[in-house]
Amino acid sequence: MAAGLEPLTLLSALAAVTSRIGLIGTATTTYNEPYHIARKFASLDQISRGRSGWNLVTSDNASESANFGRPQHVSHSQRYARAREFYEVVTGLWDSWEEGAFINDKAGGRWFDRSKLHALNHHGEHFDVAGPLNVARSPQGRPVIVQAGGSETGRELAAETAEVVFTAHANLSSAQAFYRDLKGRLAKFGRHQDSLKIMPGIFSIIGKTQAEAEDKFNTLQDLVEPEAGLALLGRMIGNFDLSSYPLDGPLPELPLTDNGQQSRQKLLTEIAQGENLSIRQLYLRIAGGRGHLTVVGTAETVADHIQEWFEQGGADGFNVMAPWLPGGLRDFTELVVPELQRRGIFRTQYEGKTLREHLRLPKP
């Protein structure tokens, strides 16, 4: 458990002191209602003038159910069935108003053009929502939809609905297979290849020399408390209690999780088996990068990995995961970004104002 701020409140504050960066917040479909989510992100988009994005997730933390009066966590299949309909309701609410609907004609006594209003009147298995949304249409059409599901069900949902996918892969071959699979699913939903951006996470510890980077990495690894590392691994591998197993023994055979992340369970199990890691070695392996691509080295080394994945069909971009803040992010922006710019694979200035323009995504 870590203390933090509620993301929509934080992003609204950041919107007031920034002008270009995108503002993407995570909000679960498992313990929220569609109207609330639609209204919050539509409001953030108005405040930021078109820079908001919603990271649509289903809750993988089983303990979360206790905060919402539920005796047990929702199963994997139920979470995704609810998420699909949740998405349909939220985007339907975002389409309540056409552009230019609010004319504010004081002399004529007309606030809006009624022909440009569309009530939702949704009636489904999980939700009944009348609409319309009481926020005007987004400056960018709709907030950008981001997802992170890697299971079969999650990939189908992403191929149908997502515009950005945040994914975890420890090596290029795994990333390429995922990239081909997800992009290959788009056609059956009538979508173009460029309508979905795949952005794996990269966890980089950067030094001006290889030795400096390794010293930073070892310092961070020494700070991982065994109890915290074991708890993190247990949650991420499917909400299992691993405390009865010896830390220096192998990862036990675990059943397929029904209330956690199935894709992350598969990834971590493959890492443990492929590298012959003990439980202790595995939690140390993922304590920072959470199973994502981890690079320890100079700016050139990090840039080499990014360029290879980008040019070899493993990524459209990356989600930079700083090892600590603000120093880890500063290392990336001051050392890696200039190297990428020298190679001509990272922009030197913003080309637009909205998040969709930054990501080169079409406006709905």
Side-chain angles (χ1 to χ4, degrees):
M1 173 66 70
L5 297 176
E6 190 282 317
L8 270 296
T9 307
L10 174 61
L11 293 176
S12 296
L14 288 174
V17 293
T18 59
S19 61
R20 287 292 189 272
I21 64 169
L23 304 165
I24 300 172
T26 299
T28 177
T29 60
T30 310
Y31 298 113
N32 274 301
E33 290 295 322
Y35 197 90
H36 290 140
I37 294 300
R39 191 178 189 217
K40 289 175 181 178
F41 281 95
S43 297
L44 176 60
D45 213 65
Q46 294 289 341
I47 293 170
S48 65
R49 296 183 176 87
R51 293 185 283 132
S52 77
W54 171 34
N55 183 27
L56 185 164
V57 301
T58 68
S59 295
D60 70 312
N61 190 344
S63 64
E64 193 171 353
S65 62
N67 292 325
F68 296 92
R70 299 191 183 184
Q72 61 185 21
H73 192 40
V74 184
S75 71
H76 186 272
S77 59
Q78 290 176 319
R79 293 203 311 271
Y80 274 94
R82 177 183 168 95
R84 175 62 188 82
E85 189 178 339
F86 200 112
Y87 162 86
E88 184 179 345
V89 175
V90 169
T91 53
L93 288 169
W94 284 340
D95 289 341
S96 293
W97 305 94
E98 296 180 23
E99 289 190 32
F102 290 91
I103 53 180
N104 295 314
D105 178 9
K106 294 182 180 179
R110 296 177 68 214
W111 180 29
F112 63 89
D113 182 345
R114 188 171 292 276
S115 68
K116 295 184 177 183
L117 167 64
H118 305 279
L120 181 60
N121 294 319
H122 174 90
H123 303 286
E125 180 182 355
H126 300 277
F127 306 107
D128 285 287
V129 181
L133 188 66
N134 59 352
V135 183
R137 187 164 185 81
S138 162
Q140 57 178 339
R142 293 176 185 167
V144 173
I145 298 290
V146 184
Q147 289 177 27
S151 66
E152 176 61 27
T153 310
R155 294 185 192 202
E156 278 294 284
L157 180 64
E160 184 179 3
T161 66
E163 296 169 293
V164 176
V165 168
F166 175 40
T167 182
H169 299 280
N171 56 68
L172 176 58
S173 61
S174 173
Q176 289 171 323
F178 179 86
Y179 189 99
R180 289 191 300 268
D181 177 77
L182 198 53
K183 293 277 188 172
R185 297 174 188 241
L186 295 176
K188 68 179 177 181
F189 297 109
R191 301 185 62 189
H192 189 272
Q193 295 284 301
D194 291 336
S195 67
L196 174 65
K197 309 296 183 182
I198 297 176
M199 304 178 70
I202 180 170
F203 180 78
S204 55
I205 297 89
I206 307 155
K208 294 181 179 178
T209 65
Q210 183 67 33
E212 181 185 328
E214 291 175 359
D215 284 344
K216 289 181 179 180
F217 177 70
N218 292 331
T219 298
L220 291 170
Q221 291 293 87
D222 290 341
L223 294 173
V224 179
E225 291 289 338
E227 184 178 356
L230 186 63
L232 172 67
L233 175 59
R235 186 183 73 76
M236 292 190 63
I237 208 163
N239 293 307
F240 290 103
D241 182 2
L242 301 176
S243 60
S244 62
Y245 298 95
L247 287 181
D248 295 310
L251 183 72
E253 291 287 337
L254 298 171
L256 181 66
T257 180
D258 188 47
N259 62 8
Q261 290 188 58
Q262 293 182 356
S263 59
R264 195 57 60 90
Q265 181 186 35
K266 180 176 182 291
L267 172 67
L268 299 184
T269 301
E270 289 175 348
I271 290 174
Q273 295 174 346
E275 300 180 21
N276 195 28
L277 301 180
S278 67
I279 291 177
R280 187 193 306 274
Q281 290 170 325
L282 183 59
Y283 76 60
L284 285 171
R285 174 81 156 71
I286 69 159
R290 305 310 202 255
H292 293 268
L293 170 64
T294 298
V295 184
V296 180
T298 63
E300 291 77 13
T301 301
V302 177
D304 286 344
H305 280 80
I306 290 174
Q307 184 169 8
E308 181 183 27
W309 283 43
F310 177 66
E311 294 180 347
Q312 297 300 318
D316 293 314
F318 286 86
N319 189 325
V320 177
M321 304 168 62
W324 78 95
L325 291 170
L329 184 59
R330 185 181 300 117
D331 283 347
F332 191 93
T333 57
E334 294 180 356
L335 299 174
V336 178
V337 169
E339 178 63 26
L340 295 173
Q341 290 172 331
R342 280 193 290 271
R343 300 182 187 199
I345 57 175
F346 193 83
R347 64 179 172 231
T348 56
Q349 62 184 5
Y350 285 109
E351 299 168 1
K353 294 182 178 180
T354 70
L355 180 55
R356 288 187 176 279
E357 290 172 330
H358 300 337
L359 295 171
R360 296 179 180 174
L361 289 169
K363 183 177 181 180

